[in-house]
Amino acid sequence: MRVTVCQLPDPPSGFEEAWLSLAAHLQKSGSEFVLLPELPFHAWVGWTDRFALEDWESAVVSHLEWIERLGELGVASVAGSRPFTTESGDRHNRAFIWVDGVLSDGHDKYYLPEEPGFWEASWYAPGDGSFDVMSMGQHATGFMICTDIWFTEHARGYARQGAELLLVPRATELRTTDKWIAGGQAASVMSGAFGLSSNRCGSFNGVTFGGTGWVIDPDGAILGLTTDDEPFLTVDIDLNQPAQAKATYPRYVKE
């Protein structure tokens, strides 16, 4: 399977241009799948602890409008996360997979930071704590949205569910990049899955995002990273490898 990760700037500044460049890259590379960053289609709301309903609703609408444009990317499958409001009014950061024009919602981000630049608990509620694989075509796919990655028991849970891909849409800072790469390697090893992550880049209201999307194999080897000069990365992965990895150390060790 040919997969793509990316780093994208906050909308609206430079986002349309980056979107067109991503579409061109995907079509030139022949990619089958692209992972987008965390809540990619609106300026980052979590920079402030002052919740504003109008800003949240604007983010919800913006994501719905951009999801209607996913076909422009020219790939069969797209994944990321989006702001979502339930019928009862609960707000969540929700994973989605788009396959051939059909949108499916999945895991709600469960672990929410609450600190300068990342006042996420002020903006949305944690999910119900379920970390269940989703189907992307014939492929079992698990999500760990940003901070979720540090709670590694869920990576082990995805190994038990047979996850082939571990998707980590992020909004993380430049100064913590090395730590996040290490976390991505650990999660890939523990899940026995290919780890894919895409991140925001650039600066917004005092937050400097770190970019550095990654593709990591099930044994923790880094297959590639995005950079400011190369913001899109496409890699061929062998989806027979996760099943083989799960039969080897440390995945086979009983809990």
Side-chain angles (χ1 to χ4, degrees):
M1 185 179 187
R2 184 163 290 183
V3 300
T4 299
V5 295
C6 63
Q7 57 185 64
L8 294 173
D10 258 49
S13 178
F15 189 83
E16 181 79 32
E17 181 180 357
W19 179 259
L20 295 175
S21 296
L22 174 60
H25 169 89
L26 293 169
Q27 292 165 34
K28 182 178 179 179
S29 67
S31 183
E32 302 165 69
F33 166 76
V34 61
L35 175 65
L36 301 176
E38 182 177 14
L39 306 179
F41 297 130
H42 190 273
W44 179 243
V45 295
W47 72 273
T48 176
D49 61 351
R50 297 186 297 276
F51 173 75
L53 183 59
E54 60 271 24
D55 289 342
W56 175 259
E57 292 177 342
S58 174
V60 170
V61 170
S62 179
H63 279 74
L64 290 173
E65 291 174 348
W66 276 95
I67 285 169
E68 289 295 317
R69 296 180 58 177
L70 291 180
E72 297 174 10
L73 296 178
V75 294
S77 304
V78 183
S81 79
R82 68 185 183 111
F84 185 87
T85 304
T86 68
E87 291 184 0
S88 61
D90 295 329
R91 302 183 302 274
H92 296 291
N93 182 345
R94 178 162 292 185
F96 72 84
I97 294 177
W98 179 96
V99 179
D100 294 328
V102 178
L103 180 70
S104 298
D105 284 322
H107 165 74
D108 288 331
K109 185 174 183 177
Y110 187 68
Y111 299 100
L112 306 182
E114 186 76 347
E115 61 180 59
F118 299 90
W119 299 104
E120 295 179 54
S122 294
W123 284 86
Y124 38 84
D128 62 7
S130 61
F131 285 75
D132 299 324
V133 294
M134 297 179 66
S135 295
M136 186 172 69
Q138 298 179 340
H139 306 300
T141 303
F143 275 90
M144 301 182 87
I145 302 175
C146 203
T147 302
D148 290 339
I149 200 174
W150 298 112
F151 296 83
T152 52
E153 63 270 28
H154 302 297
R156 289 280 292 181
Y158 280 134
R160 291 191 296 271
Q161 295 178 67
E164 299 165 275
L165 300 173
L166 183 65
L167 305 183
V168 187
R170 294 166 25 239
T172 66
E173 293 180 278
L174 177 63
R175 65 183 180 86
T176 60
T177 295
D178 290 345
K179 179 168 64 177
W180 282 94
I181 294 172
Q185 291 177 286
S188 293
V189 170
M190 295 178 73
S191 63
F194 282 98
L196 279 64
S197 185
S198 294
N199 191 21
R200 292 168 175 262
C201 61
S203 296
F204 180 79
N205 280 345
V207 181
T208 300
F209 296 106
T212 316
W214 66 62
V215 179
I216 297 172
D217 82 4
D219 284 317
I222 297 172
L223 303 182
L225 302 170
T226 67
T227 67
D228 289 345
D229 292 332
E230 299 290 340
F232 316 126
L233 170 71
T234 296
V235 175
D236 287 316
I237 60 174
D238 178 2
L239 288 177
N240 293 312
Q241 194 173 341
Q244 297 166 0
K246 288 175 177 56
T248 65
Y249 183 88
R251 278 75 52 148
Y252 73 83
V253 177
K254 292 183 179 179
E255 298 182 40

